[in-house]
């Protein structure tokens, strides 16, 4: 059972980036699947969640779009108009539902993918 993120890297401010999370051992439709990020020296914060019953929920609004591909068993995060303060390690996570998409209730974490936004 694992979640594997990909797509992180270095991007200039104002640019866009799409992260992907591939699930194995679980079916994404059976969970609330979402994204968190953790910047250096800061707490992990949630970005979004998607579940079959709850749809998509955004905790950070405006520049992030989450899409779930049930056929590929993946979740993506498209980020627009990136800023240096978006620099962080981005994590994919699975919980029983989006209602439990909080750090203390996550069942499965990915290993994270780093994103660096430069000026």
């Amino acid at each position: 059972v694992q979640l594997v993120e990909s797509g992180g890297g270095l991007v200039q401010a104002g640019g866009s980036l799409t992260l992907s999370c591939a699930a194995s051992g679980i079916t994404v439709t059976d969970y609330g699947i979402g994204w968190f990020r953790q910047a250096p020296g800061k707490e992990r914060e949630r970005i979004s969640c998607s579940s079959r019953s709850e749809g998509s929920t955004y905790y950070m609004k405006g520049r992030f779009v989450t899409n779930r591909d049930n056929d590929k068993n993946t979740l993506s995060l498209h980020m627009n108009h990136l800023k240096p303060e978006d620099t962080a390690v981005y994590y994919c996570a699975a919980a029983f539902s989006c209602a439990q998409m909080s750090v203390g209730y996550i069942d499965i974490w990915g290993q994270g993918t780093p994103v660096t936004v430069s000026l």
Side-chain angles (χ1 to χ4, degrees), residues 35-39 42-46 60 89 91-93 103 106 109-111:
W35 292 94
F36 287 75
R37 71 181 185 185
Q38 187 166 19
K42 296 188 176 182
E43 293 186 351
R44 196 166 296 190
E45 53 184 351
R46 57 188 183 179
M60 294 184 184
V89 178
Y91 296 91
C92 184
V103 171
I106 298 300
W109 287 103
Q111 84 287 352

Side-chain angles (χ1 to χ4, degrees), residues 1-49:
V1 175
Q2 62 178 350
L3 302 171
V4 179
E5 303 95 334
S6 62
L10 177 64
V11 61
Q12 285 190 325
S16 302
L17 199 63
T18 299
L19 307 180
S20 183
C21 172
S24 60
I26 64 168
T27 302
V28 294
T29 53
D30 292 339
Y31 286 82
I33 301 287
W35 292 94
F36 287 75
R37 71 181 185 185
Q38 187 166 19
K42 296 188 176 182
E43 293 186 351
R44 196 166 296 190
E45 53 184 351
R46 57 188 183 179
I47 300 171
S48 65
C49 183

